[in-house]
Amino acid sequence: MVGFQRISESVVILSILYILSCKSGVESYNVVLSANFGDGSHYIAMRAIGEGLAKRGHNVTFLVAEGFPHQTRHHEDSGLFHFERFRLPGLKENLEDAYDRLGYLTLANQKNNGEIFKVMDTFKTLNKDACSAMFKDNALMERLAAFDAFVFNIIWPCAVYVKSYLELHKDVEDIPLVALSNTGLNPYILWEAASPFFPSFQPSPMSKLSPKMTFFERLRNTLTYLSFICSFWRTVLSEPFNDLIDEYDLDPDLRVTMSNHVDLYLINTDFSIDFPFAIMPSVIPVGGLTARPAKALDNDLEEFMESSGDYGVVVFSLGSYLSTVTTTRPEMMKMFLNAFERIPQKVIIQSKKGLSHDLPQNVKLLKWLPLNDLLGHPKTRLLVYHGGASGLFEAVYHGVPLVVMPVGGDQCDFSVKVVSKGIGVQLDKDNLTAEIIYERVTEVLGQPAYSASSIRISAILKNRPMTAGDTSAFWIEHVIKHGGEYLRPSSYDMPFYQLYLIDVFLFLFAFIFIVSWLSFRCLKKCFRKKSSVKPKKE
Ligand SMILES: *[C@@H]1O[C@H](CO)[C@@H](O)[C@H](O)[C@H]1NC(C)=O
Ligand SMILES: *[C@@H]1O[C@H](CO)[C@@H](O)[C@H](O)[C@H]1NC(C)=O
């Protein structure tokens, strides 16, 4: 017995030594992740990258705004990561207010573009003010100068300006910078990465098109693509931060492009669900950062799931910012409840605010859903939702079919994919009745083909060498070690007409034209000679 204990003790010590020796072989880097302000799906996606980096032995710090509840839902995070905070009074309240207004406007019966633009302006101002707040915090900037790399979400590109500041004014040498885009496929990122985008077969965001397009659809797609690039530049990237460039004397090229500063682009794409397209080597597809094996649910929820018997459970969520639907569109919520009341399944509904009317027997209402864990539960049969990026990947990862009701932004793009891949059906928010909802829900629940397609795509998505978080961590480490310069195509240094071969084609056309013209002249001359000879003979 004692001998056995000795052996097992030495095995443990040996293993520890082995692990330590492995760890010390890898250099540990200090990486800062800017997860926007620190809550919501952007934080959860960035968190997967943070976990991947921590697993590889790196020291991960999250840059968040004070007052955001990033740790309350993820208590384990404070053990895993460090946190740096910046302060902008009122940010959380103003942001929540803007999201509520946007939720209200997008769900409203009548389109009000003027109001929507106003909300967009609010987001723009908040993004700019939050970045200014960072610049004003000199101690924070000094601490940021000590990091080996920055990873930021493209929705809030403040890190690019911080990097420029540190390099120009704090004597910091080239800091590797990695951009993450975790919404739908964003052509602006591909543009910055000099990665080609062909509107001939790549549906542009918000076009509601699939890859097979008629002439007029291609025309519409091209125009949508160009206006997307312009408006993304104007409202999200670059333009909102132009004042900072003057105020802090930053790299003036940032007015036009951030590509001189970014080494790597992580994009939320996986070809199991996305239509195929070409990408440059600096663009790494990391689709489904938030999709992962399900964790156990809490007892209360687990009991509810089990009580559904063989019928299983339907999950209904319009995401956190639309979950005000109960108060903004009570009649819409009522339609969903009337439809759900008629199905034998149990239903879990997310809503931030309570309901004014009674819930049907089979429905449970929650303020917040552990969506990935619910979708991974064996009792879950269907997700009814608004078409956000993370939800789609989580559903597909767990092989769950969908009913999608897109309400705006990139959601209609996902809806097109869901329908064309045969993993679900669509609801039109402007043409909704309890009967239509009931029909769509029972159609997907009743036909095994939808769930079979989702299970097939799930197998493709899972059949990859590393998870999306580990892939991201691997590539971040790679550009810290080797830089991203060698990934840059020379197309960055070419003028437009050279890149698109306009000069070459013009030359070829001119050449063909001249040769044809000369041959024509020649033939004409010969012919004339012949015909002028002929009459003489006769
Ligand atoms: C990890 O990063 C934090 C900054 O967030 C820093 O205070 C700490 O010293 C770092 N740890 C190591 C081992 O470098
Ligand atoms: C509304 O949906 C119903 C059922 O799918 C369909 O028959 C009808 O044409 C739609 N109406 C409009 C205006 O799209």
Side-chain angles (χ1 to χ4, degrees):
M1 204 58 205
V2 173
F4 179 72
Q5 212 166 349
R6 282 260 168 79
I7 290 170
S8 58
E9 252 168 37
S10 48
V11 165
V12 168
I13 290 168
L14 274 178
S15 322
I16 290 172
L17 281 178
Y18 177 71
I19 290 168
L20 284 178
S21 71
C22 282
K23 278 249 159 117
S24 64
V26 180
E27 209 172 331
S28 168
Y29 297 111
N30 289 318
V31 185
V32 66
L33 307 184
S34 153
N36 292 36
F37 305 137
D39 199 16
S41 57
H42 294 306
Y43 177 78
I44 300 176
M46 196 57 100
R47 192 183 174 278
I49 297 180
E51 261 182 338
L53 285 167
K55 239 198 274 175
R56 298 178 81 86
H58 302 301
N59 185 21
V60 180
T61 302
F62 267 93
L63 177 65
V64 295
E66 237 173 46
F68 280 77
H70 43 273
Q71 291 170 47
T72 47
R73 272 178 212 147
H74 301 277
H75 4 234
E76 72 267 41
D77 285 11
S78 36
L80 207 51
F81 310 129
H82 295 271
F83 287 88
E84 274 290 356
R85 289 178 180 77
F86 65 91
R87 204 174 124 67
L88 179 63
L91 176 61
K92 183 162 183 277
E93 295 71 23
N94 288 332
L95 200 67
E96 265 174 13
D97 186 50
Y99 269 120
D100 276 355
R101 259 164 52 219
L102 186 65
Y104 175 75
L105 288 168
T106 44
L107 281 177
N109 265 327
Q110 272 155 353
K111 270 271 158 290
N112 189 341
N113 285 335
E115 283 294 311
I116 290 183
F117 282 127
K118 256 195 225 158
V119 180
M120 288 301 163
D121 262 351
T122 310
F123 284 126
K124 198 168 140 179
T125 311
L126 287 177
N127 280 352
K128 184 185 143 189
D129 291 349
C131 198
S132 294
M134 292 215 356
F135 270 84
K136 283 184 191 127
D137 188 343
N138 207 29
L140 173 66
M141 293 300 257
E142 293 281 348
R143 289 199 299 277
L144 288 177
F147 283 93
D148 297 312
F150 293 166
V151 185
F152 70 100
N153 192 309
I154 202 78
I155 295 293
W156 188 54
C158 187
V160 188
Y161 300 87
V162 171
K163 167 183 159 144
S164 173
Y165 177 77
L166 296 179
E167 284 174 1
L168 291 172
H169 306 296
K170 294 277 174 199
D171 254 1
V172 177
E173 276 199 26
D174 195 23
I175 308 167
L177 189 59
V178 177
L180 165 71
S181 164
N182 74 316
T183 52
L185 182 64
N186 185 334
Y188 192 90
I189 304 296
L190 299 180
W191 171 277
E192 286 280 0
S195 207
F197 188 96
F198 296 95
S200 50
F201 69 96
Q202 279 178 259
S204 136
M206 295 169 213
S207 65
K208 302 184 186 165
L209 292 164
S210 68
K212 289 220 167 71
M213 293 175 241
T214 63
F215 170 76
F216 284 106
E217 284 172 342
R218 273 182 288 130
L219 181 63
R220 179 155 68 81
N221 197 38
T222 308
L223 296 177
T224 315
Y225 166 68
L226 293 175
S227 66
F228 181 90
I229 299 258
C230 296
S231 67
F232 201 79
W233 179 85
R234 278 188 64 88
T235 54
V236 183
L237 287 167
S238 229
E239 208 200 57
F241 303 95
N242 278 353
D243 292 348
L244 283 177
I245 298 177
D246 298 328
E247 199 175 328
Y248 293 95
D249 193 16
L250 308 179
D251 176 9
D253 282 352
L254 281 171
R255 285 178 201 289
V256 188
T257 173
M258 55 180 200
S259 61
N260 300 333
H261 295 272
V262 180
D263 295 280
L264 195 70
Y265 303 83
L266 305 172
I267 61 169
N268 190 24
T269 285
D270 192 275
F271 293 117
S272 59
I273 186 77
D274 267 303
F275 304 122
F277 61 92
I279 40 179
M280 277 287 172
S282 61
V283 179
I284 310 294
V286 292
L289 282 166
T290 61
R292 54 175 65 211
K295 286 198 199 114
L297 300 171
D298 63 40
N299 292 340
D300 200 29
L301 204 48
E302 179 62 37
E303 218 168 85
F304 182 79
M305 301 297 283
E306 288 306 327
S307 73
S308 67
D310 285 342
Y311 286 118
V313 174
V314 172
V315 179
F316 174 57
S317 162
L318 292 182
S320 41
Y321 93 85
L322 290 173
S323 66
T324 47
V325 59
T326 37
T327 43
T328 52
R329 290 288 303 276
E331 81 291 355
M332 185 187 265
M333 198 64 193
K334 188 100 194 138
M335 287 177 205
F336 276 99
L337 290 178
N338 286 347
F340 291 146
E341 197 169 15
R342 292 167 61 189
I343 60 174
Q345 282 77 14
K346 297 253 167 156
V347 182
I348 293 178
I349 288 185
Q350 178 185 20
S351 172
K352 252 196 277 190
K353 313 245 162 85
L355 284 179
S356 49
H357 31 80
D358 288 338
L359 281 178
Q361 283 285 309
N362 59 338
V363 175
K364 184 180 179 72
L365 187 135
L366 293 173
K367 285 210 164 121
W368 181 79
L369 296 183
L371 190 60
N372 180 68
D373 300 337
L374 274 174
L375 291 169
H377 196 280
K379 289 283 184 206
T380 303
R381 301 283 182 266
L382 171 70
L383 173 66
V384 182
Y385 93 128
H386 62 295
S390 339
L392 176 66
F393 275 109
E394 288 165 15
V396 165
Y397 183 89
H398 296 293
V400 172
L402 307 112
V403 172
V404 187
M405 183 182 75
V407 297
D410 56 5
Q411 296 159 7
C412 49
D413 309 325
F414 292 118
S415 180
V416 170
K417 283 173 196 153
V418 164
V419 173
S420 68
K421 300 270 176 181
I423 56 176
V425 299
Q426 216 184 122
L427 278 174
D428 177 0
K429 80 172 168 72
D430 298 320
N431 181 16
L432 215 56
T433 61
E435 187 59 33
I436 293 178
I437 298 171
Y438 175 78
E439 269 171 24
R440 300 289 147 84
V441 166
T442 46
E443 183 190 345
V444 179
L445 285 170
Q447 291 186 25
Y450 292 109
S451 128
S453 298
S454 192
I455 289 168
R456 185 169 44 79
I457 293 178
S458 165
I460 300 174
L461 175 62
K462 286 177 178 169
N463 191 6
R464 50 185 175 182
M466 286 190 273
T467 65
D470 291 343
T471 306
S472 309
F474 169 84
W475 279 100
I476 292 166
E477 192 183 296
H478 182 90
V479 293
I480 296 175
K481 281 184 191 156
H482 307 291
E485 192 56 33
Y486 84 100
L487 297 167
R488 279 175 78 83
S490 49
S491 56
Y492 276 117
D493 311 319
M494 284 179 162
F496 178 82
Y497 69 90
Q498 286 183 10
L499 176 61
Y500 290 96
L501 293 172
I502 292 170
D503 50 350
V504 171
F505 282 117
L506 280 178
F507 175 81
L508 287 178
F509 281 131
F511 181 77
I512 292 169
F513 178 78
I514 289 169
V515 168
S516 315
W517 186 73
L518 285 178
S519 333
F520 176 74
R521 289 292 301 239
C522 229
L523 282 174
K524 213 169 157 189
K525 244 184 199 165
C526 297
F527 189 71
R528 224 183 255 154
K529 255 186 204 160
K530 246 189 184 174
S531 54
S532 62
V533 171
K534 264 185 190 172
K536 263 188 191 171
K537 263 191 169 180
E538 271 181 295

